[in-house]
Amino acid sequence: QVQLVESGGGLVQAGDSLRLSCAASGLTLRRNVMAWFRQAPGKEREFVAAIDRSGGNIYHADSVKGRFSISRDVAKNTVYLQMNSLKPEDTAVYYCAADSNSRGLVSTYRVEYDYWGQGTQVTVSS
């Protein structure tokens, strides 16, 4: 049984940093593309960042490039999202996702991801 459990969200001020964690069980990071998505109230869930099965290729949405960074610890089977210089528009529920059928390709489309966590709330005040 696959489980993705996010943690690390919270209420912070603009300019602060947070690190989100996604602890995975029932799957191996080396065999899955892992990603972070976010969903703000009244908006569609959007791609934030992804890391491929090798861990050697990472992708970030333009809106977070230079501020957010995805990484992973294979030994801990955990994926991270380091978020710096947070802005009020980063306020959203952040979801961890796994694509077990990627065949090595990284997708930014949520429909390609077959496992999801429950989400963690990030609120950035101005």
Side-chain angles (χ1 to χ4, degrees):
Q1 181 181 358
V2 174
Q3 278 194 313
L4 302 175
V5 180
E6 303 98 332
S7 61
L11 171 63
V12 297
Q13 293 187 330
D16 285 351
S17 297
L18 277 176
R19 189 177 79 158
L20 305 183
S21 299
C22 170
S25 59
L27 60 77
T28 304
L29 298 187
R30 287 199 178 99
R31 296 182 180 178
N32 290 267
V33 170
M34 302 299 295
W36 288 95
F37 286 75
R38 68 185 181 185
Q39 188 167 16
K43 294 189 176 182
E44 295 287 321
R45 192 170 298 188
E46 64 175 2
F47 172 80
V48 175
I51 184 166
D52 74 351
R53 296 185 302 180
S54 74
N57 296 293
I58 60 176
Y59 305 84
H60 297 89
D62 288 343
S63 58
V64 305
K65 204 168 290 184
R67 300 187 299 121
F68 291 12
S69 179
I70 188 171
S71 63
R72 71 181 192 180
D73 185 328
V74 171
K76 295 182 178 179
N77 222 34
T78 299
V79 180
Y80 303 99
L81 185 67
Q82 178 66 44
M83 305 187 296
N84 299 327
S85 302
L86 282 161
K87 303 176 181 180
E89 51 264 42
D90 294 320
T91 295
V93 178
Y94 283 72
Y95 297 91
C96 178
D99 178 1
S100 63
N101 302 307
S102 70
R103 298 181 183 179
L105 300 176
V106 174
S107 175
T108 62
Y109 294 99
R110 61 181 181 176
V111 294
E112 299 293 336
Y113 291 82
D114 44 350
Y115 298 109
W116 292 85
Q118 82 289 349
T120 186
Q121 176 71 46
V122 172
T123 303
V124 184
S125 64
S126 57

